[in-house]
Amino acid sequence: MDDCLIVGGGVIGLSLAYELSRQGLRSHVVDRGAVGREASWAGAGILPPANLQAAVHPWDWLRARSHELYPIWSGVLLDETGIDNGYRRCGGIYLARSAGEAAALAGMASLFRDHQISCQRLDAEQLVEIEPALVPSWATGAFRAVYFAPDEAQLRNPRHLQALAAACRGRGVQISEGVQVRGFVRDADRLTAVETNVGTLRAANFAVTSGAWTGHLLQELHVSSGIMPIRGQMVLFRCRRKPFERIINEGSRYLVARDDGRVLVGSSEEEAGFDKSTTPWVLSELEQLARDLIPALREAEIERTWSGLRPGSFDGLPYIGRIADLENAYVAAGHYRSGLHLAPATAEVLACLLRNQPPPIDLVPFRPTRG
Ligand SMILES: Cc1cc2nc3c(=O)[nH]c(=O)nc-3n(C[C@H](O)[C@H](O)[C@H](O)COP(=O)(O)OP(=O)(O)OC[C@H]3O[C@@H](n4cnc5c(N)ncnc54)[C@H](O)[C@@H]3O)c2cc1C
């Protein structure tokens, strides 16, 4: 029998399966579609800076531990699968146009300083050196403040998911696609199986990692959660050459350049239920932002647009832990805008719980029963 049946093969489920396999546990990942094709595929792969030495709150620990693990996992995944997941410590620029935005960035920089995370305010000369592609829009006087955080990184998330899935398969993890979990079989305080469209599947433990759809499954277990889908739309440009180096952040929107000249521009935050369509007005706003900021994008063609459903939570924190009245059922979901970033540390924490070891952090802020 498998040690763990993992419901949902996004970045959270696949990272958990990978971590469990490294610790010698056998898992079976089931996904109602193809693995790694929902929010985890749709995201931009921005990994903000963090510092483990200064992490006090469990949330800071999750961010910082993931920050520490990503370069290690990326190297090991490359060795195991030959797939380069595109992890690059490219640095991030933060732009403010209004006084309010400048104040928000000053607050962010001071928080970074408290956590001993490098972040500097740039003047015109420094911007020329660090991100010359932004100099023309700086020259229009559009920005009140510009900051640079050299420790920000990016990941080509579709490739990372391919690498995770390949590494899992290589380590004997069973991955079953087109298998939808519809319910659970319970015996007193334990789950014994899940009911699916292809029959009943048994395991010793169960982990629900179903992203934005987790709320439906938890309801089957009489657990109410605040997990809800928050749609994000994205525009992909294609350029002949990489037009800039750094991740460019402006409020909740951003531009990310990949090594092959593709540029991702995102994103919106919309409550649209489980509707994954795109809308012309959001796409056109994103397109305009990109063409205004980076002159090289004015002539670039749009290759593709899409949207994805982030697993949002009412307080912005993920749900990670054991499901209260069940001895062998766990959840890891609701990572909202940070699921790609937080996946390795989430996997590490959940693997501890599954092995009956004390977790490295206090999981109270992430408890699944918090409504
Ligand atoms: C536009 C956009 C940009 C983003 N940018 C970033 C970013 O830059 N950095 C970052 O860290 N995060 C980013 N995110 C957020 C990140 O993508 C998510 O937090 C993360 O992917 C969530 O991973 P997940 O595995 O929980 O969910 P998902 O990737 O959605 O995976 C859940 C899986 O569960 C499966 N499933 C659902 N129900 C069932 C069922 N009943 N039975 C079987 N399988 C089921 C689904 O098919 C799916 O494959 C972004 C998201 C979006 C949409």
Side-chain angles (χ1 to χ4, degrees):
M1 182 159 33
D2 292 309
D3 294 304
C4 188
L5 188 132
I6 298 172
V7 185
V11 74
I12 301 295
L14 289 174
S15 299
L16 175 62
Y18 182 60
E19 180 60 25
L20 290 176
S21 76
R22 282 153 55 104
Q23 300 193 17
L25 297 190
R26 258 175 59 132
S27 47
H28 180 182
V29 180
V30 299
D31 199 292
R32 58 181 195 159
V35 292
R37 294 297 301 177
E38 289 291 352
S40 303
W41 180 91
I46 300 171
L47 312 175
N51 177 9
L52 197 57
Q53 272 67 49
V56 177
H57 190 274
W59 168 251
D60 293 329
W61 186 93
L62 272 188
R63 298 177 71 249
R65 180 66 181 147
S66 284
H67 188 72
E68 194 176 75
L69 286 174
Y70 255 116
I72 300 169
W73 277 38
S74 301
V76 177
L77 287 170
L78 179 63
D79 286 347
E80 286 186 26
T81 67
I83 299 171
D84 173 5
N85 67 7
Y87 173 85
R88 306 280 184 268
R89 184 181 165 275
C90 56
I93 300 266
Y94 289 78
L95 304 173
R97 290 180 196 260
S98 68
E101 287 168 2
L105 286 193
M108 176 197 78
S110 133
L111 194 73
F112 279 178
R113 263 195 307 279
D114 288 348
H115 285 239
Q116 291 128 49
I117 295 166
S118 170
C119 181
Q120 64 177 122
R121 187 168 175 168
L122 301 183
D123 59 24
E125 246 170 59
Q126 290 163 323
L127 187 68
V128 172
E129 212 173 282
I130 287 170
E131 190 45 84
L134 276 173
V135 170
S137 44
W138 168 285
T140 65
F143 305 127
R144 276 189 177 241
V146 179
Y147 286 81
F148 176 52
D151 246 354
E152 188 153 297
Q154 63 164 292
L155 183 76
R156 286 193 85 149
N157 35 310
R159 293 193 185 168
H160 181 61
L161 293 158
Q162 279 171 18
L164 279 174
C168 282
R169 286 193 173 101
R171 289 167 162 274
V173 173
Q174 189 181 346
I175 296 182
S176 303
E177 301 185 313
V179 176
Q180 178 163 14
V181 171
R182 294 176 174 159
F184 300 90
V185 184
R186 188 175 177 150
D187 180 9
D189 55 2
R190 293 185 70 79
L191 293 184
T192 55
V194 290
E195 284 161 352
T196 78
N197 54 321
V198 298
T200 301
L201 299 173
R202 299 186 164 275
N205 295 283
F206 298 83
V208 183
T209 57
S210 316
W213 297 267
T214 301
H216 293 154
L217 285 170
L218 291 183
Q219 268 168 25
E220 293 289 319
L221 294 169
H222 310 292
V223 176
S224 73
S225 80
I227 298 175
M228 66 195 119
I230 305 289
R231 185 167 73 187
Q233 300 189 38
M234 197 80 93
V235 175
L236 180 70
F237 286 88
R238 184 172 204 150
C239 305
R240 276 199 212 96
R241 276 190 306 279
K242 195 177 182 185
F244 55 94
E245 287 298 322
R246 318 298 182 177
I247 294 164
I248 300 171
N249 299 283
E250 189 187 322
S252 60
R253 300 183 300 177
Y254 46 77
L255 280 67
V256 185
R258 305 298 198 204
D259 288 345
D260 61 6
R262 290 189 164 92
V263 174
L264 287 149
V265 186
S267 184
S268 54
E269 289 176 290
E270 303 161 72
E271 288 185 36
F274 289 91
D275 176 1
K276 278 201 299 177
S277 26
T278 54
T279 57
W281 53 93
V282 170
L283 296 179
S284 122
E285 266 180 27
L286 294 173
E287 178 185 348
Q288 203 52 51
L289 169 81
R291 296 203 199 273
D292 283 351
L293 278 176
I294 303 290
L297 291 177
R298 288 186 192 144
E299 307 305 320
E301 69 178 71
I302 291 178
E303 182 177 326
R304 192 170 174 182
T305 60
W306 64 83
S307 82
L309 300 177
R310 305 181 188 93
S313 71
F314 75 95
D315 55 4
L317 296 177
Y319 291 76
I320 304 171
R322 187 165 65 78
I323 296 174
D325 59 342
L326 287 165
E327 265 181 17
N328 64 340
Y330 302 84
V331 61
H335 293 74
Y336 193 35
R337 294 190 73 133
S338 309
L340 290 159
H341 184 203
L342 302 180
T346 299
E348 218 177 56
V349 167
L350 211 59
C352 279
L353 297 184
L354 273 148
R355 303 189 59 181
N356 290 319
Q357 290 172 349
I361 44 169
D362 175 13
L363 290 176
V364 167
F366 311 132
R367 68 197 178 284
T369 49
R370 71 185 193 278

